[in-house]
Amino acid sequence: MESRSLGIAVLHGVIAIFVLAILSSLVFSLLLGFTSVQESSLKYVVTTVSFLSLFIGGFITGKNGKQKGWLIGGATGLIYSIIIFLFQYLGHDSLFSSEQIIYHTCYILTAMMGAILGVNMSSSNSRS
């Protein structure tokens, strides 16, 4: 039963990441379509939003899982990276570049940090 609840927590985190990614993509596409902003000027903003989305998704995973934050956060980030890899490979027939591998490694670590914080926040709330 414990692994089922951890799996559901990971699923909630992954869904949260993709919901945040879809919403931010919508905002950025509207910004690019209806203003004179260039895609190159948003590169660092998009990267920051990506890391923030992974952190929030990891936090949600940790808050729901309530234990083993590093493990469930890593699973959340890894599942996200695998899904992105599959879209890229199956849709564009290309593998991750070395730069993308570094980004996705950092994404996994960011989701782990978010989950660890989420577990600790849920633990401190339950003791109060």
Side-chain angles (χ1 to χ4, degrees):
M1 189 65 169
E2 176 185 328
S3 62
R4 179 177 161 90
S5 65
L6 293 180
I8 290 172
V10 170
L11 181 64
H12 284 154
V14 171
I15 289 170
I17 291 169
F18 279 106
V19 166
L20 290 170
I22 289 168
L23 290 175
S24 63
S25 294
L26 177 66
V27 169
F28 290 135
S29 66
L30 291 173
L31 193 63
L32 290 169
F34 295 111
T35 65
S36 61
V37 174
Q38 297 296 318
E39 189 175 349
S40 59
S41 64
L42 288 177
K43 180 180 178 183
Y44 295 115
V45 175
V46 170
T47 302
T48 303
V49 169
S50 298
F51 278 106
L52 189 60
S53 296
L54 267 290
F55 185 83
I56 291 170
F59 184 83
I60 290 170
T61 298
K63 196 89 164 148
N64 290 336
K66 295 182 175 59
Q67 59 183 336
K68 299 180 184 175
W70 66 273
L71 181 65
I72 59 177
T76 302
L78 186 63
I79 290 171
Y80 169 79
S81 292
I82 288 170
I83 291 170
I84 296 300
F85 173 75
L86 288 174
F87 270 106
Q88 182 173 331
Y89 181 70
L90 298 173
H92 299 287
D93 198 27
S94 65
L95 298 173
F96 276 171
S97 67
S98 56
E99 181 182 5
Q100 287 175 310
I101 290 171
I102 292 169
Y103 272 111
H104 282 272
T105 302
C106 293
Y107 288 158
I108 292 169
L109 293 173
T110 302
M112 288 171 114
M113 289 186 286
I116 290 168
L117 184 64
V119 166
N120 288 330
M121 294 292 281
S122 70
S123 297
S124 65
N125 287 344
S126 64
R127 283 186 253 170
S128 299

